[in-house]
Amino acid sequence: MPDNNDNVYDLVVVGGGPAGMMAAITAAQHGVSVLMIDKNSMLGKKLLLTGGGRCNLTHAGTPEELIEHIPYSGKCLFKAFHRFHSPELIAFFEQLGVSLVEDANGKYFPVSQQAREIQVVMTRALKIYGVEVVRSKVLNLDKTPGYYTIHSADGNFRAKHVLISTGGSTYPGTGSSGDGYKFAGLFGHTIYPVEPGLVPLESPFLASGELAGISLQRVGLQCFTHSGKLKFSHKGEMLFTHDGVSGPLILDASLYLLEYDFPVELVFTLPKDYATTFPKRFLQFFATTLAEQEKIGSDISIRFRCTQKKGWDHAMITLGGVSMQEIDPQTFESKLAPGLFFAGEVLDCHGKTGGYNLQIAFSTGYMVGETVAKRKTPL
Ligand SMILES: Cc1cc2nc3c(=O)[nH]c(=O)nc-3n(C[C@H](O)[C@H](O)[C@H](O)COP(=O)(O)OP(=O)(O)OC[C@H]3O[C@@H](n4cnc5c(N)ncnc54)[C@H](O)[C@@H]3O)c2cc1C
C-alpha cells in the first residue's frame, strides 16, 4: 500500500472508542497533530450499549476507593487516577456541555440518561480540536528509525507516537475484535489469555426458564470452583435469566471465575424476610429446599451449579490482555517499544460493574494524550 501522505503525525490513535477519543482530544487540545483510525463508520459504537443505553461513565470515590473495585491490575492505575479520575472526568464533560449526575449507588450518568449524547459530544470534540479521522481497518504496524508506520486497508500513515486503543474482544459487532493483542505481540509484549468477563452464567438447573426475569435484592453469594475453592463472596442484586443467572452480583462474580474453574457451585444466602418479600414464583420453585431448611432453623440458602460463562456476544469486558508489567504506569507507554502506547480495555486491567471500566478507558487515554502533548511542548 502506498503512503497516504508524507506527513509524520505526532500521534496516530488506532481505535476510536472512549480510550482513543479521550487521548486524541487531550493531545489535540494542546496542539498535537493527531490522526485517528477506526474501522467502524461510527466512533465509540460500544458506548451506545453501556449502562443499558444510559452510559455509566464513572463512580464516586477517591482513587484508592476506585482501585478497590478493579481486581485486575488496579494498583497500576494509582498514578493515572490521581491525575484524572471522576472529578476530572465530570469537569471534562462539563467543558463539552454535558452534565453528569450521581445515582443513589454512586454511579455517574449523563443527566439526559442517553449514552448517545456522550458518543456525539466526544465525536464533535475530535472535530473541534482538529483531529483527522480515517475510517479504515489497521492491519499492521512497524517501526523504522524516527517513526512508526501504520498499515491500514486504505494506505499507510506515519507517526512519532502510536496509541493502540482497540479494546478487547467482546461484542465484536462494535468493532472490538482483539486486533490490538496482535499489534502488541509484534513488539514482544506478553498477552495474558483472554476470556469473557462481566458475563452471565449458564445453569442446566435453570434451563426451564421458569424463573426468568426474577430479580432478588440483598442476597449473599458464595462461588466455589469444581475443586471446592471459594473464589467470590459478596452481597447484592441478582437476576434469573432464561438459562441461568445475571445481574450485578453475578457479573462481578464472573470476573473471578476463570474458564478452568467450571463447573462452579453458587450458594445464595437469603435475607431473613425472604418469605414475605421475595416473589411467589421463586418461593414455589425452591419450596422443598426452603421448607427443609426452615425446619432445621439454619440460615436459609439455595445452591445450584453453573456449567459455563456465556460467550463474547454477552460479555461486557475482556479479561486478560496486554500485561501491565510492560507498561509505564505514569505514561502508559510500552517499556519495550518507546513511542508505542496502550490505553483502555486492550490492557490486562479490568474492573467491576459501576462505571469502573469506562473510567479506566478515560484515565489511561488521558495519560497518553497528556504525555504526547508534554513531549511536543512542555505543558
Ligand atoms: C453491553 C455493554 C455495557 C457496558 N456498560 C458499561 C458501563 O455502563 N460502564 C462502564 O464503565 N463500562 C461498561 N462497559 C465496558 C466499556 O464499554 C468498555 O470497557 C469500553 O468501551 C472500552 O473502551 P476502549 O476504548 O478501550 O475500547 P472500545 O470501546 O472497544 O473501542 C475500540 C475501538 O477500536 C476499533 N478497532 C478495533 N480494532 C481495530 C483495527 N484493527 N483498526 C481500526 N480500528 C479498530 C473499534 O472499531 C472500536 O471503535 C460495557 C460494555 C458492554 C459490551
Side-chain angles (χ1 to χ4, degrees):
M1 270 287 174
D3 285 355
N4 270 25
N5 53 43
D6 294 334
N7 202 5
V8 179
Y9 291 93
D10 292 322
L11 174 64
V12 165
V13 175
V14 181
M21 287 199 280
M22 177 58 85
I25 294 166
T26 306
Q29 278 177 331
H30 292 99
V32 169
S33 62
V34 187
L35 171 73
M36 169 174 283
I37 311 178
D38 196 289
K39 63 183 179 182
N40 266 340
S41 53
M42 175 196 275
L43 300 175
K45 195 171 176 190
K46 192 173 273 181
L47 275 173
L48 302 183
L49 306 178
T50 57
R54 298 191 301 137
C55 192
N56 176 197
L57 287 153
T58 184
H59 202 284
T62 63
E64 289 74 14
E65 285 164 343
L66 264 57
I67 286 169
E68 276 173 29
H69 294 86
I70 301 177
Y72 290 86
S73 309
K75 290 202 173 100
C76 298
L77 296 170
F78 185 83
K79 290 197 168 109
F81 279 180
H82 272 274
R83 178 73 189 93
F84 189 96
H85 80 299
S86 29
E88 290 79 16
L89 188 69
I90 294 163
F92 171 85
F93 280 110
E94 279 290 345
Q95 191 200 341
L96 299 186
V98 179
S99 299
L100 307 189
V101 61
E102 182 182 349
D103 78 0
N105 300 311
K107 298 179 185 177
Y108 277 93
F109 298 86
V111 168
S112 65
Q113 305 284 315
Q114 295 292 325
R116 180 168 284 280
E117 186 182 14
I118 300 298
Q119 187 270 338
V120 167
V121 294
M122 292 196 81
T123 307
R124 191 185 300 145
L126 293 170
K127 205 169 181 187
I128 291 170
Y129 292 109
V131 174
E132 285 180 48
V133 178
V134 167
R135 319 284 174 164
S136 187
K137 179 174 169 143
V138 171
L139 305 169
N140 203 358
L141 275 184
D142 58 45
K143 191 178 184 192
T144 38
Y147 57 83
Y148 285 87
T149 303
I150 300 95
H151 303 267
S152 85
D154 299 285
N156 302 334
F157 302 91
R158 295 185 203 149
K160 292 183 202 149
H161 307 93
V162 179
L163 167 63
I164 305 297
S165 47
T166 44
S169 297
T170 64
Y171 282 77
T174 63
S176 46
S177 48
D179 296 355
Y181 307 129
K182 184 184 86 183
F183 303 144
L186 294 173
F187 295 90
H189 277 278
T190 307
I191 314 296
Y192 287 114
V194 294
E195 59 176 271
L198 296 182
V199 66
L201 306 181
E202 288 181 17
S203 170
F205 179 70
L206 301 169
S208 67
E210 281 171 71
L211 297 180
I214 291 181
S215 154
L216 303 180
Q217 321 274 335
R218 300 173 290 121
V219 288
L221 169 62
Q222 289 187 305
C223 300
F224 297 91
T225 68
H226 61 84
S227 58
K229 190 172 173 203
L230 178 64
K231 273 294 198 72
F232 179 82
S233 177
H234 219 277
K235 214 174 184 178
E237 180 187 347
M238 58 89 63
L239 172 76
F240 289 96
T241 63
H242 65 285
D243 61 0
V245 279
S246 187
L249 187 61
I250 301 295
L251 297 178
D252 285 348
S254 77
L255 282 186
Y256 298 83
L257 300 171
L258 300 180
E259 269 157 8
Y260 59 71
D261 291 326
F262 284 81
V264 294
E265 176 98 355
L266 305 191
V267 181
F268 295 92
T269 309
L270 311 188
K272 297 244 178 295
D273 60 359
Y274 78 92
T276 51
T277 55
F278 278 13
K280 263 204 186 116
R281 207 153 38 105
F282 169 85
L283 299 176
Q284 278 161 2
F285 189 87
F286 287 103
T288 315
T289 316
L290 297 174
E292 278 167 10
Q293 295 193 27
E294 287 288 1
K295 242 189 242 167
I296 306 167
S298 60
D299 274 350
I300 307 295
S301 64
I302 53 163
R303 58 176 66 213
F304 50 83
R305 278 179 152 208
C306 288
T307 44
Q308 60 182 359
K309 304 189 206 184
K310 289 194 91 64
W312 291 115
D313 286 345
H314 296 83
M316 286 166 69
I317 60 152
T318 306
L319 296 183
V322 178
S323 166
M324 291 296 290
Q325 303 308 312
E326 295 155 0
I327 304 295
D328 179 344
Q330 188 95 46
T331 59
F332 290 82
E333 185 172 23
S334 161
K335 291 180 185 170
L336 310 181
L340 182 66
F341 294 79
F342 293 89
E345 201 177 312
V346 70
L347 291 164
D348 177 35
C349 181
H350 316 291
K352 295 182 184 174
T353 52
Y356 302 101
N357 289 297
L358 281 174
Q359 184 64 60
I360 293 171
F362 289 129
S363 296
T364 53
Y366 180 87
M367 296 303 272
V368 175
E370 190 181 64
T371 300
V372 176
K374 273 185 188 155
R375 286 192 190 164
K376 188 174 160 78
T377 325
L379 302 177

